[in-house]
Amino acid sequence: MFSWKKQARFEVVVEQGGYSSIDGIFEDQRQATERATYLLSLAKYGRVQVVQVGKHTQTVVFERASQSGGTEVVGITPIDEASSCKDVLDVYGYPSRMTLLRLTRRYADRQIAVPSETLHDWIALCMIEREGMLLNSGITRLAKIQTRDVSCFIPDRERELGALWMRIKQFAQASNTLAPYAKLLATDGIAALQERIADGCAPAEHDRVMSYAFGRLLEGHREWCDKVHSLLMILEDEDCDPDGITAIDQFLAETIDGRDPVKALIGYSPDLGSALLGLLATLNGKLDDRLPFTPVLMDLSNALARWRLPEVEAALLRRVRAGLDGHHPLSKDGSRYCAIAFHRIAASLACFSGFRGGPEMSVALTRRAKTALRSGETDLPFETAVQQLCGTLNTSGGQIGYLLDLAETDMGRQKGVFLFGSLSRIFSHIRHARDLAPAHIPIEDVRRELGGRLRRAGIPRDLADQLMYKIASLPSEDTPRVFLR
């Protein structure tokens, strides 16, 4: 029997300044209600509704008016992954700090403070408790994510997280005992700090002490650019060993991993395309005055040219991906210039195994290609966009890597027949192992890496076996390099 309820959709309607607009349309009422609750936490709208729309009916199933009275309410940022802590000292480690940063991104931007600063500041922690949509919502969200794949109930995890929060506050009240470490970092540099920590602290305490010292360093600066500059000055220390570089890499990534910090680093940019190209030039250590920059961004580019900073690189790639995933045009001068900017961005991201940034970046590039490379008002079909991006990659290995990355995603799984057919055609034209990867690493490593990527991409078993046989049979007089992203 036909039921209009099964065919209904749920519209999230917001009211602002006396005008109503549809924020989003959902197939599921729960998702629509979650979106409406999130919009309320922003305190931007006077009223938020969820309207169930059937064939001939409309029913309001959720309605709330903002009670903020004009006061800004800061809520959590939706996240899908979270590092899990068993002990309170785990909270001070880099993975946990990054989880907290992404969860409380809006609060961090408003306070211009990262978790390395906030976790050791008892007053700041008390302020977080007073934010009605922040602490409790954050604990609930973390509990839901962290119990997803373990045998633990959400209420139990919420109680554990509540206990961790109380322990963090207790540590913050006693954080003044760590003041000598912060002074040592400021006066003698990171090498002296590492030596003192190794001699005077238990291993479990290392992350807490290190984050306190750097937190106090960052706390002394109230602008994002100044915070980044202070960390780069520590990096320039001639006594900085590999462990010290790794630590600074993490604190730099924590500081720049957000929209507001990156906007401050870029400064003025005429359009989105120029801003993204500036970030990519920074990522490659090749920023110059032909692209938008600030002195601090130029210093960061020089640092990336001199040292390998993988966490900073990953943070910059996330911002590039976020820009590509948005709706702002790459250029204000029309579609022709949007296409030119897009080709330059894709070329800057190209590497021998696809595009830097992996599957997520491949999806963002494909979506943007459909709009940036279109002619007229109609977006490019998925297949045409993929072919255009394959043309940006000059090697068979790069094209194969891009298609495999895309096949790992939800977007690619819906187009599996096309992607698998394209892979077969590219493999059929390969005549030498050097077509798959550059030199210096044995073909066995290339075969192992490609085999893993074929399995992750969900390639049908018979086709995967054919492709692996093709890889094994390729001549390899010159041993090729590893096929990694």
Side-chain angles (χ1 to χ4, degrees):
M1 179 179 179
F2 175 83
S3 172
W4 69 267
K5 291 184 179 180
K6 294 182 180 179
Q7 307 299 320
R9 66 178 190 270
F10 298 87
E11 298 178 352
V12 178
V13 181
V14 297
E15 180 181 306
Q16 187 176 34
Y19 296 92
S20 298
S21 61
I22 296 176
D23 174 81
I25 300 175
F26 301 83
E27 299 295 329
D28 182 71
Q29 181 176 345
R30 180 184 59 80
Q31 294 177 345
T33 303
E34 287 181 354
R35 175 64 178 172
T37 304
Y38 163 71
L39 293 174
L40 279 170
S41 71
L42 301 180
K44 291 173 55 179
Y45 305 103
R47 186 177 302 275
V48 179
Q49 296 177 323
V50 175
V51 182
Q52 185 178 28
V53 180
K55 187 174 182 181
H56 302 294
T57 62
Q58 293 186 5
T59 306
V60 177
V61 296
F62 176 92
E63 182 175 17
R64 294 287 189 278
S66 175
Q67 302 296 325
S68 62
T71 302
E72 181 183 6
V73 177
V74 179
I76 63 170
T77 301
I79 60 173
D80 297 319
E81 297 179 356
S83 175
S84 184
C85 301
K86 295 181 179 179
D87 183 79
V88 65
L89 293 174
D90 295 339
V91 177
Y92 301 95
Y94 176 68
S96 297
R97 298 199 313 267
M98 291 302 291
T99 296
L100 293 174
L101 177 66
R102 291 165 188 156
L103 186 70
T104 61
R105 183 73 256 177
R106 296 185 188 88
Y107 181 81
D109 288 341
R110 188 176 73 175
Q111 300 296 323
I112 314 181
V114 295
S116 290
E117 304 170 66
T118 307
L119 286 171
H120 303 280
D121 188 336
W122 184 77
I123 295 177
L125 296 177
C126 291
M127 290 174 62
I128 289 175
E129 283 187 331
R130 297 190 185 102
E131 294 283 355
M133 298 298 295
L134 196 55
L135 178 60
N136 293 334
S137 299
I139 287 178
T140 300
R141 183 61 182 169
L142 288 175
K144 287 181 179 179
I145 296 173
Q146 294 173 356
T147 56
R148 187 180 296 161
D149 300 319
V150 298
S151 56
C152 179
F153 294 108
I154 293 175
D156 294 337
R157 185 55 183 165
E158 287 179 336
R159 284 190 288 272
E160 293 173 0
L161 291 173
L164 281 178
W165 175 261
M166 298 307 296
R167 290 286 290 145
I168 292 170
K169 289 183 65 180
Q170 291 173 5
F171 275 132
Q173 284 183 300
S175 62
N176 287 339
T177 58
L178 304 179
Y181 294 99
K183 183 178 180 180
L184 187 64
L185 175 64
T187 57
D188 297 344
I190 189 171
L193 174 64
Q194 288 175 302
E195 183 177 355
R196 177 75 65 83
I197 291 175
D199 293 339
C201 295
E205 289 272 356
H206 286 189
D207 286 333
R208 177 176 176 244
V209 177
M210 184 72 77
S211 64
Y212 174 86
F214 276 91
R216 295 290 76 84
L217 174 73
L218 296 171
E219 189 181 51
H221 305 281
R222 294 306 304 158
E223 300 294 337
W224 292 116
C225 288
D226 294 337
K227 292 178 187 289
V228 174
H229 178 71
S230 68
L231 292 170
L232 291 175
M233 292 297 292
I234 298 289
L235 187 61
E236 292 288 342
D237 188 348
E238 295 297 331
D239 295 330
C240 203
D241 63 9
D243 289 338
I245 293 173
T246 298
I248 296 173
D249 177 30
Q250 294 176 351
F251 288 108
L252 270 173
E254 183 181 350
T255 304
I256 69 172
D257 188 22
R259 183 171 177 266
D260 283 10
V262 167
K263 284 179 64 177
L265 287 174
I266 294 172
Y268 170 76
S269 176
D271 51 45
L272 177 61
S274 298
L276 296 183
L277 287 169
L279 288 181
L280 288 171
T282 302
L283 178 67
N284 296 322
K286 298 179 179 179
L287 182 65
D288 56 36
D289 59 6
R290 292 173 294 180
L291 292 166
F293 76 98
T294 58
V296 180
L297 189 64
M298 191 69 74
D299 291 341
L300 182 61
S301 174
N302 294 334
L304 285 163
R306 182 177 176 183
W307 293 284
R308 184 173 182 272
L309 305 173
E311 298 299 339
V312 172
E313 293 174 3
L316 292 175
L317 284 172
R318 282 192 292 271
R319 295 318 308 164
V320 172
R321 188 181 73 230
L324 290 171
D325 259 337
H327 300 291
H328 291 288
L330 295 177
S331 174
K332 299 176 182 178
D333 298 324
S335 58
R336 176 172 173 268
Y337 291 95
C338 284
I340 293 172
F342 177 79
H343 281 299
R344 292 179 64 192
I345 291 169
S348 297
L349 286 167
C351 63
F352 211 90
S353 59
F355 291 106
R356 297 181 70 175
E360 295 85 1
M361 185 67 78
S362 296
V363 169
L365 282 167
T366 305
R367 286 175 178 158
R368 178 62 73 164
K370 295 172 68 175
T371 58
L373 304 181
R374 68 186 179 188
S375 57
E377 299 298 324
T378 305
D379 291 353
L380 291 183
F382 171 85
E383 293 79 6
T384 306
V386 170
Q387 290 169 353
Q388 293 270 9
L389 282 166
C390 282
T392 305
L393 298 159
N394 297 323
T395 65
S396 298
Q399 295 172 2
I400 291 170
Y402 164 57
L403 294 175
L404 288 176
D405 279 342
L406 206 56
E408 288 186 37
T409 66
D410 292 337
M411 173 188 281
R413 292 186 189 99
Q414 297 174 10
K415 300 289 185 177
V417 174
F418 168 74
L419 293 179
F420 301 155
S422 299
L423 281 169
S424 296
R425 285 192 296 274
I426 295 173
F427 268 102
S428 68
H429 291 91
I430 294 177
R431 296 291 178 265
H432 197 280
R434 291 292 293 273
D435 295 332
L436 288 176
H440 308 310
I441 299 296
I443 187 62
E444 288 75 15
D445 292 348
V446 178
R447 189 158 50 241
R448 187 182 309 111
E449 172 66 18
L450 264 179
R453 296 185 70 178
L454 288 170
R455 286 189 292 272
R456 292 196 301 271
I459 306 293
R461 182 63 180 269
D462 56 345
L463 176 58
D465 289 343
Q466 293 176 23
L467 299 182
M468 292 303 298
Y469 177 78
K470 174 74 175 182
I471 297 169
S473 63
L474 290 173
S476 56
E477 294 86 2
D478 297 320
T479 55
R481 191 178 172 184
V482 69
F483 192 84
L484 292 174
R485 187 168 302 119

